Amino acid sequence: MRTLRLVLGDQLHPRLATLTDLDPGTDTVLMAEVVEEATYVRHHKQKLVLAFAAMRHFAAELRARGIAVDYVALEDAGNAGSFTGEIARAIARHRPDRVVVTEPGEWRVEAMMRDWEERFGVPVEIRDDTRFLCPRPVFARWAEGREALRMETFYRAMRRRTGFLMDGREPVGGRWNFDHDNRRRLPAGQAVPERLRFPPDAVTREVMDLVARRFPDHFGDLDGFAWPVTRAGALRALKHFLDDCLPEFGDYQDAMRAGTPFLYHGLIAPALNLGLLDAEEVCRAAEERWRDGAAPLNAVEGFIRQILGWREYVRGLYWALMPDYPETNALGATRDLPWFYWSGETAMACLAECVRDTRIHAHAHHIQRLMVLGNFALLAGLAPAQVEEWFLVVYADAYEWVELPNVHGMALWADGGLLGSKPYAASGAYIDRMSDYCRGCAYDVKAKAGAAACPFNYLYWNFLIENEERLRGNPRLAMPYRTLDRMAPARRDAIVSDATRFLDSLTASEGHPGGERAVDARAPDLFLVDPAG
């Protein structure tokens, strides 16, 4: 039986379900770089380089194993520009008896696949993606009948299912979650590890030239590209994190420092989401560090929770709630995304720093994403679809299945509490406590009102005022609403006035990532980040 086996660009694992029963004598692996996937959103240039370069290396590795690979490069003559078009051309070339694929990460791609059998008259087998630790049917059974789909409940079930960090039926150390121990501010002057980065090889440089030529208007810098593009490189990156960063990761995973984008973070999410690594090997390797005494439990538990908990949870939630999930907008947020999300040109030092890191590295760590970039979007009432598209565009590890629940549910609370019990809203005090960003800012984080005050301060209270009808009954917001009740009417009026003045000054981009430049409420000569870095 001749089988055509399609491997997508985020399925680059040697044990992918598509490849498990491959017969080198009769089967062909199809891989295709298609413009539709490169442009359905205008992905960061580094994200495109990472995907195409990793695909080309993976194809070479398969060929070295004696496997026939039909590889369609982006600029090959006749490239149809879509998965459906390339499947059609490959069926015409190879005349297979069947097509085998692994379920994709995104709902829209699976909708394409479900149409192929009828369209082409060839059996199409869609296999479960065994790279994940929680199959989609298992999550669906867990979620069935639950009023609240809380990550912590799911995480405990997954610990028991997998046995990670377990002592029989109980968690090692007597606690499921060490998050309370993982919120330390990075001490001034503390040295952090020099991160392992990967200079582009010849294949990657060729792809960089391709991306610069074909996608010049996409967001992001190319010069700083240094991501691993092979499984061997990804394993080296994982080992470096485990050896040099994991011991301190727990304490400082929520910390931020200007000019230090990576700190102790893993930097393996792009490799995981491409398939160069899989969740089980990553969690097992981290657990071994704790059992060997090389890393403390709070660090290892915090790291495994991000993989076994959040990553598996948001994937399950995505598939359980699509395709209607992104249409919800519980807080009625409609303001356009400000231009500084693309340019970094803002007097708010924290936002400028996070956008700068994002542009240069296609990376920002989870607190930068949630408590700076996401927090501002929440407080400013930015339209969920625009914020979600931005996050999907700019990060090397961003795919809709992981980006959408994190942004729509966790950062923006647009799902009304399906994912999080309360909005992750915070004033400037949180950013000041966890970073050094406020020291060099044009705004005063200690000031509560007026043009000199940190916008996060009055935007926080204005958010509670604007959404009072929707949020006042939330028990986790009882304390801030009691504080709001004690405020004098003049203080509340000043909050609304400051917030209105600031928000009215924001200008959205006219198309992105090109368009009209705009800055925030402070005079533009106070603080501007040079877009060139």
Side-chain angles (χ1 to χ4, degrees):
M1 176 182 289
R2 295 187 307 275
T3 302
L4 180 68
R5 299 173 182 270
L6 174 65
V7 173
L8 303 182
D10 59 352
Q11 297 180 340
L12 308 181
H13 197 282
R15 293 190 297 277
L16 183 72
T18 303
L19 306 175
T20 52
D21 56 351
L22 183 145
D23 182 345
T26 59
D27 297 353
T28 300
V29 171
L30 173 66
M31 299 180 69
E33 302 168 6
V34 294
V35 72
E36 183 174 80
E37 297 305 305
T39 58
Y40 74 92
V41 297
R42 295 169 71 173
H43 302 284
H44 195 297
K45 293 186 184 79
Q46 289 193 32
K47 184 178 178 184
L48 293 176
V49 171
L50 176 59
F52 290 159
M55 288 172 66
R56 294 183 183 193
H57 281 91
F58 188 73
E61 292 167 4
L62 292 179
R63 286 173 176 145
R65 292 165 48 193
I67 295 171
V69 179
D70 184 353
Y71 194 95
V72 183
L74 191 75
E75 295 188 319
D76 282 354
N79 188 321
S82 69
F83 288 144
T84 298
E86 284 308 309
I87 282 285
R89 294 205 312 141
I91 289 173
R93 286 193 297 272
H94 302 288
R95 301 295 180 185
D97 298 303
R98 63 172 181 162
V99 174
V100 171
V101 298
T102 293
E103 60 188 5
E106 299 194 359
W107 188 89
R108 64 181 181 83
V109 178
E110 183 161 288
M112 292 181 210
M113 289 181 173
R114 300 268 176 216
D115 181 55
W116 289 347
E117 185 164 306
E118 182 176 353
R119 179 187 289 249
F120 301 123
V122 176
V124 176
E125 179 184 349
I126 303 176
R127 296 180 173 178
D128 292 346
D129 192 341
T130 55
R131 296 174 300 160
F132 290 89
L133 292 164
C134 184
R136 284 159 50 180
V138 171
F139 186 91
R141 288 195 296 272
W142 172 81
E144 187 176 4
R146 293 179 183 269
E147 292 185 7
L149 303 178
R150 294 288 177 256
M151 193 283 291
E152 184 65 24
T153 306
F154 170 79
Y155 171 55
R156 295 183 185 191
M158 287 301 293
R159 289 271 294 275
R160 289 191 170 106
R161 175 182 171 85
T162 61
F164 286 123
L165 295 180
M166 294 296 294
D167 182 7
R169 296 290 294 172
E170 299 302 318
V172 297
R175 290 162 55 188
W176 291 101
N177 187 315
F178 287 79
D179 191 47
H180 184 73
D181 300 336
N182 295 343
R183 301 173 183 173
R184 295 179 60 185
R185 178 190 177 105
L186 192 70
Q190 176 163 324
V192 299
E194 182 176 350
R195 299 315 304 268
L196 181 64
R197 306 291 276 156
F198 296 81
D201 60 12
V203 171
T204 304
R205 288 195 298 272
E206 182 178 313
V207 173
M208 291 173 72
D209 291 342
L210 167 70
V211 168
R213 182 175 67 254
R214 290 292 302 271
F215 308 102
D217 296 330
H218 282 221
F219 176 78
D221 297 347
L222 274 177
D223 292 344
F225 184 90
W227 296 103
V229 295
T230 65
R231 176 162 167 78
L235 288 169
R236 284 180 58 209
L238 174 61
K239 184 177 187 302
H240 165 65
F241 165 69
L242 296 172
D243 291 346
D244 297 343
C245 305
L246 181 60
E248 303 287 349
F249 167 77
D251 289 348
Y252 303 118
Q253 66 174 286
D254 286 4
M256 298 173 282
R257 177 192 282 176
T260 314
F262 305 130
L263 296 173
Y264 297 96
H265 289 271
L267 306 188
I268 62 167
L272 262 174
N273 292 351
L274 281 173
L276 300 177
L277 301 171
D278 68 52
E280 182 176 7
E281 69 183 338
V282 166
C283 291
R284 193 167 306 286
E287 182 184 43
E288 287 173 359
R289 290 303 197 278
W290 171 72
R291 296 197 182 276
D292 293 342
L297 183 55
N298 72 304
V300 173
E301 187 279 319
F303 176 71
I304 287 179
R305 180 164 17 100
Q306 289 191 359
I307 308 298
L308 182 64
W310 270 112
R311 186 172 184 267
E312 298 285 333
Y313 168 72
V314 297
R315 176 180 181 259
L317 199 69
Y318 172 83
W319 285 104
L321 299 175
M322 286 295 283
D324 299 328
Y325 185 61
E327 304 307 315
T328 55
N329 189 355
L331 300 179
T334 58
R335 184 168 284 106
D336 287 330
L337 187 81
W339 173 236
F340 63 68
Y341 272 82
W342 302 108
S343 70
E345 295 178 330
T346 170
M348 301 176 73
C350 56
L351 284 164
E353 180 77 13
C354 293
V355 173
R356 177 182 179 276
D357 287 347
T358 298
R359 186 186 68 248
I360 294 173
H361 302 293
H363 166 84
H365 70 68
H366 67 281
I367 294 299
Q368 291 175 307
R369 299 189 200 193
L370 176 64
M371 298 308 299
V372 179
L373 297 159
N375 186 28
F376 182 87
L378 172 70
L379 299 183
L382 304 187
Q386 294 185 34
V387 181
E388 290 149 19
E389 182 182 11
W390 184 85
F391 274 92
L392 185 58
V393 164
V394 302
Y395 292 115
D397 59 347
Y399 295 86
E400 189 182 64
W401 65 266
V402 65
E403 170 273 326
L404 181 62
N406 270 301
V407 179
H408 193 80
M410 189 176 186
L412 301 180
W413 214 72
D415 64 7
L418 279 173
L419 189 151
S421 58
K422 74 174 184 67
Y424 273 83
S427 69
Y430 176 86
I431 296 169
D432 189 35
R433 183 168 67 251
M434 297 308 301
S435 77
D436 62 356
Y437 294 158
C438 300
R439 294 178 187 174
C441 189
Y443 294 104
D444 182 357
V445 72
K446 305 299 183 185
K448 306 301 182 187
C454 171
F456 275 105
N457 291 341
Y458 49 73
L459 289 177
Y460 172 77
W461 292 109
N462 184 70
F463 169 79
L464 293 177
I465 292 169
E466 283 192 338
N467 295 285
E468 188 166 3
E469 183 177 344
R470 182 71 174 81
L471 297 178
R472 178 174 279 278
N474 189 311
R476 296 193 64 191
L477 294 175
M479 184 177 295
Y481 273 111
R482 284 197 297 268
T483 302
L484 192 64
D485 289 341
R486 292 193 293 269
M487 288 184 183
R491 173 76 180 104
R492 288 177 61 121
D493 290 346
I495 287 168
V496 173
S497 177
D498 282 338
T500 301
R501 168 189 51 78
F502 177 84
L503 293 172
D504 285 351
S505 75
L506 300 177
T507 302
S509 61
E510 298 176 0
H512 63 73
E516 180 179 300
R517 181 176 69 88
V519 295
D520 62 26
R522 294 301 299 267
D525 60 342
L526 286 177
F527 183 89
L528 282 180
V529 174
D530 178 1

PDB file of all heavy atoms in Angstrom, residues 336-358:
ATOM      1  N   ASP A 336      -9.141  50.101  19.877  1.00  0.00           N
ATOM      2  CA  ASP A 336      -8.151  49.596  18.936  1.00  0.00           C
ATOM      3  C   ASP A 336      -6.774  49.463  19.591  1.00  0.00           C
ATOM      4  O   ASP A 336      -6.410  50.232  20.493  1.00  0.00           O
ATOM      5  CB  ASP A 336      -8.025  50.540  17.733  1.00  0.00           C
ATOM      6  CG  ASP A 336      -9.222  50.451  16.798  1.00  0.00           C
ATOM      7  OD1 ASP A 336      -9.823  49.373  16.720  1.00  0.00           O
ATOM      8  OD2 ASP A 336      -9.552  51.473  16.166  1.00  0.00           O
ATOM      9  N   LEU A 337      -6.019  48.495  19.109  1.00  0.00           N
ATOM     10  CA  LEU A 337      -4.659  48.263  19.604  1.00  0.00           C
ATOM     11  C   LEU A 337      -3.790  49.489  19.314  1.00  0.00           C
ATOM     12  O   LEU A 337      -3.683  49.921  18.166  1.00  0.00           O
ATOM     13  CB  LEU A 337      -4.068  47.033  18.910  1.00  0.00           C
ATOM     14  CG  LEU A 337      -2.714  46.548  19.435  1.00  0.00           C
ATOM     15  CD1 LEU A 337      -2.920  45.715  20.692  1.00  0.00           C
ATOM     16  CD2 LEU A 337      -2.002  45.714  18.366  1.00  0.00           C
ATOM     17  N   PRO A 338      -3.140  50.068  20.336  1.00  0.00           N
ATOM     18  CA  PRO A 338      -2.290  51.244  20.095  1.00  0.00           C
ATOM     19  C   PRO A 338      -1.067  50.902  19.254  1.00  0.00           C
ATOM     20  O   PRO A 338      -0.543  49.780  19.293  1.00  0.00           O
ATOM     21  CB  PRO A 338      -1.870  51.676  21.504  1.00  0.00           C
ATOM     22  CG  PRO A 338      -2.856  51.036  22.417  1.00  0.00           C
ATOM     23  CD  PRO A 338      -3.257  49.757  21.760  1.00  0.00           C
ATOM     24  N   TRP A 339      -0.590  51.878  18.545  1.00  0.00           N
ATOM     25  CA  TRP A 339       0.549  51.697  17.651  1.00  0.00           C
ATOM     26  C   TRP A 339       1.813  51.284  18.396  1.00  0.00           C
ATOM     27  O   TRP A 339       2.681  50.602  17.851  1.00  0.00           O
ATOM     28  CB  TRP A 339       0.769  52.979  16.868  1.00  0.00           C
ATOM     29  CG  TRP A 339       2.005  53.002  16.019  1.00  0.00           C
ATOM     30  CD1 TRP A 339       3.004  53.914  16.054  1.00  0.00           C
ATOM     31  CD2 TRP A 339       2.361  52.061  15.000  1.00  0.00           C
ATOM     32  NE1 TRP A 339       3.973  53.610  15.133  1.00  0.00           N
ATOM     33  CE2 TRP A 339       3.595  52.470  14.464  1.00  0.00           C
ATOM     34  CE3 TRP A 339       1.751  50.912  14.489  1.00  0.00           C
ATOM     35  CZ2 TRP A 339       4.242  51.778  13.442  1.00  0.00           C
ATOM     36  CZ3 TRP A 339       2.400  50.224  13.474  1.00  0.00           C
ATOM     37  CH2 TRP A 339       3.623  50.657  12.963  1.00  0.00           C
ATOM     38  N   PHE A 340       1.944  51.677  19.671  1.00  0.00           N
ATOM     39  CA  PHE A 340       3.207  51.362  20.350  1.00  0.00           C
ATOM     40  C   PHE A 340       3.394  49.869  20.567  1.00  0.00           C
ATOM     41  O   PHE A 340       4.512  49.430  20.860  1.00  0.00           O
ATOM     42  CB  PHE A 340       3.359  52.132  21.666  1.00  0.00           C
ATOM     43  CG  PHE A 340       2.341  51.838  22.748  1.00  0.00           C
ATOM     44  CD1 PHE A 340       2.300  50.605  23.389  1.00  0.00           C
ATOM     45  CD2 PHE A 340       1.445  52.813  23.153  1.00  0.00           C
ATOM     46  CE1 PHE A 340       1.390  50.346  24.388  1.00  0.00           C
ATOM     47  CE2 PHE A 340       0.524  52.560  24.170  1.00  0.00           C
ATOM     48  CZ  PHE A 340       0.494  51.324  24.786  1.00  0.00           C
ATOM     49  N   TYR A 341       2.344  49.042  20.427  1.00  0.00           N
ATOM     50  CA  TYR A 341       2.553  47.599  20.486  1.00  0.00           C
ATOM     51  C   TYR A 341       3.443  47.135  19.335  1.00  0.00           C
ATOM     52  O   TYR A 341       4.081  46.085  19.428  1.00  0.00           O
ATOM     53  CB  TYR A 341       1.221  46.859  20.458  1.00  0.00           C
ATOM     54  CG  TYR A 341       0.613  46.643  21.823  1.00  0.00           C
ATOM     55  CD1 TYR A 341      -0.119  47.647  22.451  1.00  0.00           C
ATOM     56  CD2 TYR A 341       0.777  45.440  22.492  1.00  0.00           C
ATOM     57  CE1 TYR A 341      -0.680  47.456  23.706  1.00  0.00           C
ATOM     58  CE2 TYR A 341       0.215  45.231  23.751  1.00  0.00           C
ATOM     59  CZ  TYR A 341      -0.501  46.247  24.349  1.00  0.00           C
ATOM     60  OH  TYR A 341      -1.042  46.050  25.595  1.00  0.00           O
ATOM     61  N   TRP A 342       3.470  47.892  18.242  1.00  0.00           N
ATOM     62  CA  TRP A 342       4.346  47.566  17.121  1.00  0.00           C
ATOM     63  C   TRP A 342       5.668  48.332  17.178  1.00  0.00           C
ATOM     64  O   TRP A 342       6.718  47.771  16.890  1.00  0.00           O
ATOM     65  CB  TRP A 342       3.636  47.864  15.795  1.00  0.00           C
ATOM     66  CG  TRP A 342       2.362  47.116  15.631  1.00  0.00           C
ATOM     67  CD1 TRP A 342       1.098  47.605  15.692  1.00  0.00           C
ATOM     68  CD2 TRP A 342       2.228  45.697  15.408  1.00  0.00           C
ATOM     69  NE1 TRP A 342       0.178  46.601  15.517  1.00  0.00           N
ATOM     70  CE2 TRP A 342       0.841  45.424  15.334  1.00  0.00           C
ATOM     71  CE3 TRP A 342       3.134  44.646  15.261  1.00  0.00           C
ATOM     72  CZ2 TRP A 342       0.350  44.135  15.113  1.00  0.00           C
ATOM     73  CZ3 TRP A 342       2.633  43.375  15.039  1.00  0.00           C
ATOM     74  CH2 TRP A 342       1.265  43.122  14.963  1.00  0.00           C
ATOM     75  N   SER A 343       5.609  49.584  17.554  1.00  0.00           N
ATOM     76  CA  SER A 343       6.795  50.438  17.464  1.00  0.00           C
ATOM     77  C   SER A 343       7.631  50.446  18.734  1.00  0.00           C
ATOM     78  O   SER A 343       8.834  50.722  18.683  1.00  0.00           O
ATOM     79  CB  SER A 343       6.365  51.876  17.157  1.00  0.00           C
ATOM     80  OG  SER A 343       5.703  52.448  18.280  1.00  0.00           O
ATOM     81  N   GLY A 344       7.008  50.207  19.883  1.00  0.00           N
ATOM     82  CA  GLY A 344       7.695  50.372  21.160  1.00  0.00           C
ATOM     83  C   GLY A 344       7.841  51.821  21.563  1.00  0.00           C
ATOM     84  O   GLY A 344       8.464  52.109  22.590  1.00  0.00           O
ATOM     85  N   GLU A 345       7.258  52.727  20.818  1.00  0.00           N
ATOM     86  CA  GLU A 345       7.408  54.152  21.086  1.00  0.00           C
ATOM     87  C   GLU A 345       6.371  54.594  22.106  1.00  0.00           C
ATOM     88  O   GLU A 345       5.255  54.985  21.770  1.00  0.00           O
ATOM     89  CB  GLU A 345       7.275  54.955  19.794  1.00  0.00           C
ATOM     90  CG  GLU A 345       8.387  54.672  18.795  1.00  0.00           C
ATOM     91  CD  GLU A 345       8.207  55.439  17.502  1.00  0.00           C
ATOM     92  OE1 GLU A 345       7.048  55.709  17.117  1.00  0.00           O
ATOM     93  OE2 GLU A 345       9.222  55.758  16.872  1.00  0.00           O
ATOM     94  N   THR A 346       6.729  54.531  23.361  1.00  0.00           N
ATOM     95  CA  THR A 346       5.850  54.914  24.449  1.00  0.00           C
ATOM     96  C   THR A 346       6.684  55.383  25.622  1.00  0.00           C
ATOM     97  O   THR A 346       7.802  54.897  25.837  1.00  0.00           O
ATOM     98  CB  THR A 346       4.951  53.744  24.891  1.00  0.00           C
ATOM     99  OG1 THR A 346       4.277  54.094  26.106  1.00  0.00           O
ATOM    100  CG2 THR A 346       5.747  52.469  25.126  1.00  0.00           C
ATOM    101  N   ALA A 347       6.138  56.316  26.362  1.00  0.00           N
ATOM    102  CA  ALA A 347       6.815  56.811  27.552  1.00  0.00           C
ATOM    103  C   ALA A 347       6.755  55.824  28.708  1.00  0.00           C
ATOM    104  O   ALA A 347       7.417  56.024  29.725  1.00  0.00           O
ATOM    105  CB  ALA A 347       6.199  58.149  27.973  1.00  0.00           C
ATOM    106  N   MET A 348       5.978  54.763  28.581  1.00  0.00           N
ATOM    107  CA  MET A 348       5.883  53.755  29.637  1.00  0.00           C
ATOM    108  C   MET A 348       7.045  52.778  29.460  1.00  0.00           C
ATOM    109  O   MET A 348       7.060  51.955  28.539  1.00  0.00           O
ATOM    110  CB  MET A 348       4.531  53.047  29.566  1.00  0.00           C
ATOM    111  CG  MET A 348       3.357  54.003  29.721  1.00  0.00           C
ATOM    112  SD  MET A 348       1.743  53.200  29.530  1.00  0.00           S
ATOM    113  CE  MET A 348       1.651  52.286  31.077  1.00  0.00           C
ATOM    114  N   ALA A 349       8.016  52.851  30.358  1.00  0.00           N
ATOM    115  CA  ALA A 349       9.268  52.102  30.191  1.00  0.00           C
ATOM    116  C   ALA A 349       9.032  50.599  30.152  1.00  0.00           C
ATOM    117  O   ALA A 349       9.711  49.876  29.416  1.00  0.00           O
ATOM    118  CB  ALA A 349      10.241  52.457  31.309  1.00  0.00           C
ATOM    119  N   CYS A 350       8.090  50.104  30.949  1.00  0.00           N
ATOM    120  CA  CYS A 350       7.855  48.658  30.995  1.00  0.00           C
ATOM    121  C   CYS A 350       7.351  48.154  29.646  1.00  0.00           C
ATOM    122  O   CYS A 350       7.831  47.141  29.127  1.00  0.00           O
ATOM    123  CB  CYS A 350       6.875  48.318  32.107  1.00  0.00           C
ATOM    124  SG  CYS A 350       5.285  49.174  32.005  1.00  0.00           S
ATOM    125  N   LEU A 351       6.395  48.862  29.063  1.00  0.00           N
ATOM    126  CA  LEU A 351       5.875  48.455  27.769  1.00  0.00           C
ATOM    127  C   LEU A 351       6.934  48.594  26.680  1.00  0.00           C
ATOM    128  O   LEU A 351       7.071  47.714  25.816  1.00  0.00           O
ATOM    129  CB  LEU A 351       4.644  49.296  27.418  1.00  0.00           C
ATOM    130  CG  LEU A 351       3.363  48.923  28.163  1.00  0.00           C
ATOM    131  CD1 LEU A 351       2.327  50.030  28.050  1.00  0.00           C
ATOM    132  CD2 LEU A 351       2.790  47.614  27.638  1.00  0.00           C
ATOM    133  N   ALA A 352       7.682  49.676  26.713  1.00  0.00           N
ATOM    134  CA  ALA A 352       8.729  49.873  25.711  1.00  0.00           C
ATOM    135  C   ALA A 352       9.759  48.755  25.775  1.00  0.00           C
ATOM    136  O   ALA A 352      10.210  48.237  24.747  1.00  0.00           O
ATOM    137  CB  ALA A 352       9.413  51.230  25.923  1.00  0.00           C
ATOM    138  N   GLU A 353      10.142  48.346  26.984  1.00  0.00           N
ATOM    139  CA  GLU A 353      11.135  47.282  27.151  1.00  0.00           C
ATOM    140  C   GLU A 353      10.601  45.952  26.638  1.00  0.00           C
ATOM    141  O   GLU A 353      11.302  45.206  25.942  1.00  0.00           O
ATOM    142  CB  GLU A 353      11.520  47.157  28.625  1.00  0.00           C
ATOM    143  CG  GLU A 353      12.552  46.091  28.927  1.00  0.00           C
ATOM    144  CD  GLU A 353      13.970  46.501  28.552  1.00  0.00           C
ATOM    145  OE1 GLU A 353      14.192  47.695  28.278  1.00  0.00           O
ATOM    146  OE2 GLU A 353      14.851  45.617  28.551  1.00  0.00           O
ATOM    147  N   CYS A 354       9.363  45.644  26.956  1.00  0.00           N
ATOM    148  CA  CYS A 354       8.794  44.354  26.543  1.00  0.00           C
ATOM    149  C   CYS A 354       8.602  44.289  25.029  1.00  0.00           C
ATOM    150  O   CYS A 354       8.843  43.239  24.418  1.00  0.00           O
ATOM    151  CB  CYS A 354       7.476  44.108  27.264  1.00  0.00           C
ATOM    152  SG  CYS A 354       7.668  43.854  29.054  1.00  0.00           S
ATOM    153  N   VAL A 355       8.173  45.374  24.418  1.00  0.00           N
ATOM    154  CA  VAL A 355       8.036  45.381  22.966  1.00  0.00           C
ATOM    155  C   VAL A 355       9.408  45.293  22.307  1.00  0.00           C
ATOM    156  O   VAL A 355       9.585  44.594  21.299  1.00  0.00           O
ATOM    157  CB  VAL A 355       7.270  46.632  22.498  1.00  0.00           C
ATOM    158  CG1 VAL A 355       7.282  46.732  20.973  1.00  0.00           C
ATOM    159  CG2 VAL A 355       5.830  46.600  23.001  1.00  0.00           C
ATOM    160  N   ARG A 356      10.387  45.980  22.880  1.00  0.00           N
ATOM    161  CA  ARG A 356      11.752  45.914  22.333  1.00  0.00           C
ATOM    162  C   ARG A 356      12.274  44.471  22.368  1.00  0.00           C
ATOM    163  O   ARG A 356      12.798  43.960  21.383  1.00  0.00           O
ATOM    164  CB  ARG A 356      12.677  46.824  23.124  1.00  0.00           C
ATOM    165  CG  ARG A 356      14.144  46.770  22.688  1.00  0.00           C
ATOM    166  CD  ARG A 356      15.002  47.678  23.573  1.00  0.00           C
ATOM    167  NE  ARG A 356      16.404  47.603  23.180  1.00  0.00           N
ATOM    168  CZ  ARG A 356      17.265  46.676  23.592  1.00  0.00           C
ATOM    169  NH1 ARG A 356      16.849  45.713  24.405  1.00  0.00           N
ATOM    170  NH2 ARG A 356      18.522  46.690  23.197  1.00  0.00           N
ATOM    171  N   ASP A 357      12.144  43.795  23.518  1.00  0.00           N
ATOM    172  CA  ASP A 357      12.565  42.396  23.616  1.00  0.00           C
ATOM    173  C   ASP A 357      11.846  41.543  22.582  1.00  0.00           C
ATOM    174  O   ASP A 357      12.447  40.663  21.947  1.00  0.00           O
ATOM    175  CB  ASP A 357      12.273  41.850  25.016  1.00  0.00           C
ATOM    176  CG  ASP A 357      13.197  42.389  26.089  1.00  0.00           C
ATOM    177  OD1 ASP A 357      14.226  43.007  25.740  1.00  0.00           O
ATOM    178  OD2 ASP A 357      12.886  42.200  27.282  1.00  0.00           O
ATOM    179  N   THR A 358      10.563  41.791  22.419  1.00  0.00           N
ATOM    180  CA  THR A 358       9.751  41.018  21.487  1.00  0.00           C
ATOM    181  C   THR A 358      10.217  41.223  20.056  1.00  0.00           C
ATOM    182  O   THR A 358      10.329  40.259  19.281  1.00  0.00           O
ATOM    183  CB  THR A 358       8.276  41.415  21.640  1.00  0.00           C
ATOM    184  OG1 THR A 358       7.846  41.111  22.979  1.00  0.00           O
ATOM    185  CG2 THR A 358       7.402  40.689  20.650  1.00  0.00           C
TER     186      THR A 358
END
